[in-house]
Amino acid sequence: MDIKDNFSHMNDMQRKAVFCTEGPLLILAGAGSGKTTVLVNRIAYILQSGLCQPWQILAITFTNKAAGELKERICDAVVDGDDIWAATFHSTCARILRRYGDRIGYSSHFTVYDSADQKSLVKKILKELNIDEKFLPVKSVLGEISKAKDKMLTPSDMLKTAQFDDRKKKIANVYKLYQAELVNSDAMDFDDMLLNTVRLFKQEADILEYYQNHFKYIMVDEYQDTNKVQYEFVSMLAAKSQNLCVVGDDDQSIYKFRGATIENILSFEKSFKNAKVIRLEQNYRSTKTILDAANGVIKNNTARRGKTLWTENKNGDKITVHTAGSETEEARYIADIVLDGVAEGRNYSDYAVLYRMNAQSNALESAFARAGIPHRILGGHRFYDREEIKDMTAYLRVIDNPHDNIRLNRIINVPKRAIGKTTMEKVGEIAAREDKSEYDIIRNACDYPELSRAAAKFDGFVKLIEGLREAESGGDYTLAELYELILEHTGYREYLRREKENADVRIENIEELMTNIVKFENEYGDEADLSSFLEEISLMTDVDNYDSASDTVIMMTLHSAKGLEFPVVFIAGMEEGVFPGMAVFSNPDEINEERRLAYVGITRAKEKLYITNTRSRMLFGSTTHNAPSRFVEEIPKNLVERTGGFGSAAPVQTGSSFSSGRVSVGNTPSSYNYNPKIAPSFNRSAQKTAVSYSVGENVLHKTFGRGVVLKATKMGGDTMLEIAFEKVGTKTLMANFSKMEKI
């Protein structure tokens, strides 16, 4: 029997890729074309043909999870699969450096610095150089150092490119001291692991030759995501055997912001002589309609290899493009589609909601929670579970109830006030001894000798809280204004910029909380006090925690969705300025990357794709009116059915500066400033006419079935219901969001 007969289950192009073992090979693998299957079977064919030993194969992936899955599948397919080097770039380099790092000045026990270690080191250096962190934020410095290392630039190289850029010169000086400190500490950061391996190969010819002889076959997955130093690493290793096989899809190159260089895949044949290119274009995942839509969008990109996905699958449903009046109506629409689908037999886990920015999850989480739909976020945190949101809601809760010890402990040293854990432990002991709240103790810290040294610090915190409590109870400030006062007087935005990774995203999130507050005030009118708002958001935070195998709707950014697939996909917020984002208006070159992201999103869907946009959207406390995304218009019209579009956008108040105690809640391009006191009433065109429910009443929910009302709490124009359902147990729903009737 011919060995090739073992691979008869594969299609013609897949088999061609499997049997092409010698020389450089680029496998252009379209979405859903079975690239991992090809990689595993190619390794199996090489070993079954006796071309090398398992330990002579190196298979590089980008994540430990992917490496583990690849190795597991290899072990299922071949004997001694454990001997194959299936690993990430970093773990492969670490293995080499642990053995030969002494050649470039490191011991075999070198330390790898994580992001917290890096931040501490840069902070120390900035202090030594008398550089204000407000001028050079730690995150920015580390970002520039990482970019330099991705491009294989030394501190001297960076200094040369700085020329008349004073800021860049300062970063180059920090980089120089940073690198010296790493070497003195026998430490590397993650970028160093790749850079130092390449350096080792360049300096020590015998070590490079050893690994060139060791690895007869090298395979790299997700090649479109490699950067310059990764390209250099695999090029050096493969220089002798020339048996380098890379698998990737230039149409799915979406990580430029992480340093990925799409040119690596676009110029593969120029870099490796006599290279072959095999295209995997048959898709096994999606309907023909979805693939035709993806092809229609991506063909508008310039600088691409070119390929057309096709499938033997059925045509399937048309793509639904739905225009809602607002992001609240958009979220409600998505929730209704999910509930209808589950009522008809689908699982919640069949559905994924994708969006361009994390802040968009806010309205979606609210709608899902109100409708009782189980959901979880991949690649991020639920809006109210994010650290910065928990901090800000903790301030609100302490203002509402200063005797909340848990929330008090969370914020008393955030931002830092030199009130340490040991001191708070003493406060806790005294409070327990005297049967008082911890706030009572710190308010009178001077009465306790063991707290005398911290009394002045406690006094400053108490004055802050009491001032905010007075502002809240006096009636002169709206909730939105109170929230802005907290941000202003705590210096929380500056704290995020100074102390936290992803500060810009975190600041967007705390500004998105302003959106919730403004909407709450608009909806509840005179009933919109702080206690009611905190009760409202408790609905968002008390949703059950679902494990990874639970039947829940998945929510994530488009970047996080790459490599995943779902029967039904929603892409929310397909509007100019949201997706594609604002960056493309100032840098048109970014549009290709954004279009590739749209292509990735579309090809996640297997059976049905929904695309949604709005006539009016509130993000970060500001309202915008955006045109539909150009990517929607690029989908062939015969593939699309349009719904919605009849909701009226909320009127907009403009021109308010909110000086003299007023609060500015939005100042982004193409945005409007919203004054919480004069903002228009909340658009509730999508809501049903309010229905009253009483404890003990029997109800029939379209998705959850029969139930009985256990509790009904009036909240503005809605009612929070606790209902015991026969099929799914007890759920908390908002009456206006529930699809049920009395029986």
Side-chain angles (χ1 to χ4, degrees):
M1 179 179 171
D2 191 329
I3 292 173
K4 292 185 177 181
D5 292 341
N6 296 334
F7 304 91
S8 59
H9 59 285
M10 307 178 79
N11 68 42
D12 290 344
M13 297 309 291
Q14 288 176 331
R15 285 199 302 274
K16 187 175 179 181
V18 166
F19 302 149
C20 182
T21 61
E22 306 308 304
L25 172 64
L26 167 61
I27 302 175
L28 279 174
S33 62
K35 65 172 182 137
T36 305
T37 297
V38 169
L39 269 179
V40 170
N41 281 275
R42 189 171 186 271
I43 292 171
Y45 177 71
I46 288 170
L47 293 176
Q48 289 174 20
S49 300
L51 297 174
C52 72
Q53 297 300 315
W55 48 267
Q56 293 177 301
I57 295 176
L58 172 63
I60 298 177
T61 65
F62 267 79
T63 66
N64 289 318
K65 182 174 181 288
E69 290 174 355
L70 181 62
K71 194 151 193 171
E72 184 179 336
R73 289 180 64 172
I74 291 169
C75 289
D76 288 341
V78 299
V79 179
D80 297 327
D82 274 333
D83 293 335
I84 292 165
W85 281 45
T88 63
F89 275 104
H90 288 110
S91 58
T92 301
C93 291
R95 191 168 171 180
I96 294 170
L97 290 169
R98 293 290 179 198
R99 186 171 180 181
Y100 293 110
D102 61 313
R103 300 279 193 100
I104 54 172
Y106 292 87
S107 77
S108 60
H109 301 287
F110 65 82
T111 300
V112 179
Y113 273 15
D114 62 17
S115 59
D117 299 322
Q118 291 176 272
K119 280 172 61 180
S120 297
L121 180 53
V122 169
K123 279 175 175 287
K124 175 188 168 189
I125 294 167
L126 290 173
K127 193 172 182 180
E128 289 173 0
L129 296 175
N130 292 316
I131 297 174
D132 190 339
E133 286 184 34
K134 291 180 181 177
F135 174 70
L136 271 189
V138 173
K139 177 192 169 190
S140 299
V141 174
L142 285 170
E144 290 297 325
I145 291 174
S146 182
K147 286 178 187 175
K149 291 184 178 184
D150 281 351
K151 296 174 183 175
M152 303 178 66
L153 299 176
T154 65
S156 298
D157 295 330
M158 182 187 277
L159 198 57
K160 288 175 188 174
T161 62
Q163 295 181 337
F164 305 109
D165 188 336
D166 186 57
R167 182 176 180 276
K168 202 164 186 180
K169 284 180 183 176
K170 284 183 167 60
I171 293 175
N173 288 327
V174 175
Y175 180 14
K176 182 179 179 180
L177 294 175
Y178 171 84
Q179 209 56 34
E181 185 79 27
L182 283 173
V183 173
N184 290 338
S185 303
D186 192 24
M188 301 182 199
D189 61 24
F190 282 105
D191 294 315
D192 282 330
M193 295 171 77
L194 279 154
L195 201 55
N196 283 333
T197 306
V198 170
R199 181 179 150 216
L200 174 69
F201 286 169
K202 287 183 175 180
Q203 287 184 200
E204 308 293 328
D206 61 318
I207 295 174
L208 174 59
E209 186 179 13
Y210 169 79
Y211 283 106
Q212 286 176 337
N213 291 330
H214 184 97
F215 296 120
K216 290 193 175 180
Y217 293 93
I218 299 167
M219 293 171 226
V220 182
D221 195 10
E222 304 288 5
Y223 190 66
Q224 76 279 351
D225 295 332
T226 54
N227 59 27
K228 182 176 180 180
V229 68
Q230 289 164 336
Y231 162 80
E232 192 77 15
F233 173 70
V234 297
S235 298
M236 294 175 81
L237 276 181
K240 188 170 184 178
S241 72
Q242 290 292 302
N243 293 331
L244 172 64
C245 169
V246 302
V247 184
D249 182 1
D250 54 307
D251 289 334
Q252 295 187 71
S253 179
I254 58 173
Y255 297 123
K256 183 180 178 182
F257 68 97
R258 294 181 187 169
T261 307
I262 193 173
E263 286 75 18
N264 289 349
I265 197 167
L266 295 178
S267 60
F268 185 79
E269 296 99 314
K270 292 179 183 177
S271 303
F272 302 95
K273 291 182 180 178
N274 303 316
K276 299 182 183 70
V277 179
I278 295 174
R279 287 173 168 79
L280 303 182
E281 297 174 300
Q282 183 174 358
N283 175 285
Y284 293 92
R285 174 189 298 159
S286 306
T287 65
K288 190 173 186 301
T289 296
I290 290 169
L291 292 187
D292 288 347
N295 290 330
V297 171
I298 201 63
K299 73 178 184 182
N300 293 283
N301 258 9
T302 56
R304 59 184 290 257
R305 301 297 305 244
K307 64 182 176 313
T308 302
L309 294 181
W310 62 276
T311 186
E312 293 179 348
N313 294 341
K314 63 184 181 180
N315 287 338
D317 293 341
K318 285 190 175 185
I319 292 159
T320 299
V321 175
H322 180 82
T323 300
S326 67
E327 75 283 354
T328 304
E329 292 180 21
E330 174 187 54
R332 173 69 184 272
Y333 168 78
I334 293 171
D336 283 349
I337 294 292
V338 171
L339 286 175
D340 288 345
V342 172
E344 292 166 8
R346 281 200 180 274
N347 298 316
Y348 290 110
S349 55
D350 288 344
Y351 296 90
V353 187
L354 313 180
Y355 35 81
R356 181 65 181 83
M357 297 179 286
N358 274 312
Q360 288 174 257
S361 70
N362 182 14
L364 292 160
E365 287 183 81
S366 176
F368 287 165
R370 289 176 174 221
I373 295 173
H375 57 280
R376 61 190 174 95
I377 292 181
L378 290 185
H381 299 289
R382 291 187 338 109
F383 185 77
Y384 283 99
D385 286 344
R386 291 170 182 144
E387 179 185 15
E388 58 275 12
I389 300 302
K390 288 173 83 74
D391 286 346
M392 296 319 300
T393 55
Y395 268 106
L396 290 169
R397 289 186 185 280
V398 169
I399 292 165
D400 186 55
N401 174 19
H403 307 299
D404 185 335
N405 290 341
I406 292 175
R407 270 65 181 227
L408 176 70
N409 272 273
R410 181 178 184 92
I411 60 169
I412 196 159
N413 202 37
V414 177
K416 290 178 181 175
R417 302 183 177 92
I419 301 173
K421 184 179 178 182
T422 303
T423 302
M424 287 308 296
E425 286 174 352
K426 289 179 184 176
V427 171
E429 290 169 4
I430 296 169
R433 185 178 72 220
E434 301 205 1
D435 196 25
K436 294 180 178 178
S437 74
E438 292 183 13
Y439 189 79
D440 286 334
I441 303 303
I442 67 172
R443 191 164 48 184
N444 301 289
C446 57
D447 294 344
Y448 304 95
E450 56 264 65
L451 300 179
S452 59
R453 292 177 62 184
K457 299 165 190 170
F458 282 135
D459 184 58
F461 177 78
V462 169
K463 284 179 178 175
L464 169 69
I465 296 300
E466 290 300 318
L468 292 168
R469 280 172 57 77
E470 185 177 339
E472 189 273 330
S473 62
D476 293 330
Y477 293 86
T478 66
L479 283 180
E481 290 168 339
L482 175 67
Y483 180 68
E484 185 63 36
L485 286 175
I486 296 170
L487 290 171
E488 178 185 342
H489 288 282
T490 60
Y492 192 80
R493 289 189 184 94
E494 293 71 26
Y495 156 74
L496 291 177
R497 291 190 184 98
R498 191 172 61 246
E499 302 283 344
K500 296 294 183 180
E501 295 282 331
N502 303 318
D504 292 342
V505 174
R506 291 172 184 265
I507 289 169
E508 285 181 356
N509 286 335
I510 62 172
E511 290 174 352
E512 180 62 6
L513 182 56
M514 178 69 80
T515 296
N516 287 17
I517 293 171
V518 171
K519 285 182 178 178
F520 177 80
E521 290 185 298
N522 291 340
E523 183 174 10
Y524 289 96
D526 293 338
E527 296 178 32
D529 59 23
L530 179 58
S531 297
S532 298
F533 176 70
L534 295 172
E535 185 177 358
E536 162 86 354
I537 67 173
S538 69
L539 177 66
M540 315 305 171
T541 56
D542 290 341
V543 178
D544 294 337
N545 292 320
Y546 294 92
D547 62 39
S548 59
S550 293
D551 183 21
T552 66
V553 175
I554 303 300
M555 301 164 57
M556 74 189 91
T557 64
L558 285 144
H559 281 102
S560 299
K562 188 163 166 287
L564 302 176
E565 58 183 47
F566 302 90
V568 184
V569 168
F570 298 89
I571 304 179
M574 286 285 270
E575 301 149 26
E576 295 289 301
V578 178
F579 185 32
M582 296 294 294
V584 304
F585 303 128
S586 58
N587 185 1
D589 291 340
E590 296 292 325
I591 193 61
N592 282 345
E593 181 104 349
E594 290 283 287
R595 189 175 280 111
R596 290 193 291 269
L597 194 56
Y599 175 82
V600 166
I602 292 169
T603 54
R604 298 312 94 196
K606 296 166 69 175
E607 300 170 17
K608 176 66 180 176
L609 175 65
Y610 293 88
I611 291 173
T612 62
N613 52 40
T614 65
R615 291 162 57 86
S616 169
R617 181 176 299 277
M618 196 180 206
L619 267 176
F620 317 132
S622 299
T623 296
T624 57
H625 301 275
N626 304 315
S629 170
R630 67 193 73 186
F631 305 142
V632 176
E633 306 309 315
E634 290 170 357
I635 298 173
K637 289 181 171 52
N638 64 303
L639 304 178
V640 171
E641 61 177 7
R642 294 180 180 266
T643 62
F646 305 108
S648 59
V652 177
Q653 302 287 346
T654 62
S656 301
S657 62
F658 308 145
S659 57
S660 304
R662 305 300 305 171
V663 182
S664 176
V665 293
N667 195 24
T668 56
S670 303
S671 299
Y672 300 91
N673 285 333
Y674 248 66
N675 184 325
K677 286 186 173 175
I678 61 174
S681 61
F682 182 70
N683 186 341
R684 296 158 80 173
S685 60
Q687 293 187 359
K688 297 178 182 178
T689 303
V691 178
S692 62
Y693 294 89
S694 303
V695 173
E697 283 187 321
N698 292 310
V699 295
L700 179 64
H701 190 283
K702 183 172 182 180
T703 305
F704 305 140
R706 297 170 65 92
V708 60
V709 178
L710 302 180
K711 188 177 179 182
T713 306
K714 289 282 186 184
M715 296 183 69
D718 207 342
T719 305
M720 185 165 66
L721 302 173
E722 189 175 321
I723 303 173
F725 290 102
E726 294 175 1
K727 293 194 299 182
V728 297
T730 301
K731 281 186 170 287
T732 301
L733 315 174
M734 298 305 289
N736 290 346
F737 275 68
S738 63
K739 307 188 79 173
M740 64 186 184
E741 58 188 60
K742 297 180 182 181
I743 55 174

